[in-house]
Amino acid sequence: MKFLTRLSFRSKIILGITALVLAFGLVSALLVSKIASRAMLAEIKKRGLSLGASVAARTPDPMLALDFLRLKNMMDEAKESSDDIVYAFVQDKTGQVLSHSFKAGFPVKLKDANQVPEGESQHTQLLDTGEERVYDFAIPVAISHERLGTVRVGLSQIKAQAAGGRLLFIIFGVSAG
């Protein structure tokens, strides 16, 4: 308190205004980051569904022709299209994995982890792989309402949230500045 009594009136006003601006900046940064993080997560989920729907739309021909090489190339291409995509694979209508993008073999527990309910156009689920959490998007492969199988795409939650962390850092930096 002795520190404040020795300051001039002008210094007290400047100190008060600075404290108010910093407090307001902190509160607004927290609110904006929450809203922006939710919006970014929604966009990431839309991107995952879009990618899965794109792969599912191209999958019926190689599935019907039993062209496993083309299916494998499609799964690898989907995985390599972005660094936050963890995996991509396609299952037939009985649940058997026809092709996948895993390098060290297919994790068996993943096969039944996310199923699309009958009549639904997609299903999204957050899975824990033990190493990281993954948004798993399941999209049915169908020709004229006959279901041939399912395409599954996994996006890393950590990499998705990293973009939100960068945004929060920028907002705090601007507020502090």
Side-chain angles (χ1 to χ4, degrees):
M1 283 309 243
K2 290 184 180 183
F3 169 72
L4 288 176
T5 57
R6 287 190 274 157
L7 291 176
S8 67
F9 181 70
R10 180 178 176 182
S11 297
K12 289 177 185 177
I13 294 293
I14 291 173
L15 189 62
I17 290 173
T18 303
L20 284 174
V21 167
L22 287 175
F24 180 72
L26 180 66
V27 169
S28 58
L30 289 173
L31 291 175
V32 168
S33 69
K34 273 286 196 208
I35 293 168
S37 293
R38 285 185 185 148
M40 288 177 72
L41 182 60
E43 287 302 314
I44 287 166
K45 286 182 178 180
K46 285 180 186 176
R47 189 172 71 89
L49 286 173
S50 174
L51 176 66
S54 171
V55 173
R58 296 181 301 150
T59 303
D61 287 341
M63 280 182 77
L64 291 173
L66 299 175
D67 189 349
F68 297 112
L69 179 60
R70 201 161 77 171
L71 282 173
K72 174 68 173 154
N73 288 339
M74 287 172 50
M75 296 306 114
D76 289 341
E77 179 184 304
K79 183 188 183 309
E80 293 169 3
S81 66
S82 181
D83 66 337
D84 61 342
I85 297 173
V86 179
Y87 58 81
F89 66 93
V90 62
Q91 298 172 287
D92 65 9
K93 62 183 166 186
T94 64
Q96 295 301 315
V97 177
L98 300 177
S99 184
H100 61 81
S101 64
F102 293 98
K103 301 290 185 214
F106 187 80
V108 179
K109 290 182 180 180
L110 186 59
K111 187 171 107 172
D112 298 322
N114 185 11
Q115 301 293 320
V116 181
E118 201 60 43
E120 295 290 321
S121 63
Q122 57 87 17
H123 191 259
T124 304
Q125 189 169 338
L126 185 60
L127 303 176
D128 189 354
T129 66
E131 297 174 12
E132 65 180 319
R133 294 171 63 129
V134 175
Y135 288 106
D136 186 275
F137 301 94
I139 295 93
V141 177
I143 294 180
S144 65
H145 305 294
E146 184 178 335
R147 194 166 176 176
L148 300 175
T150 306
V151 167
R152 302 260 302 276
V153 177
L155 267 70
S156 170
Q157 182 190 35
I158 293 169
K159 291 181 180 173
Q161 288 178 335
R166 287 190 302 270
L167 178 66
L168 181 63
F169 180 73
I170 290 169
I171 291 170
F172 278 127
V174 168
S175 295

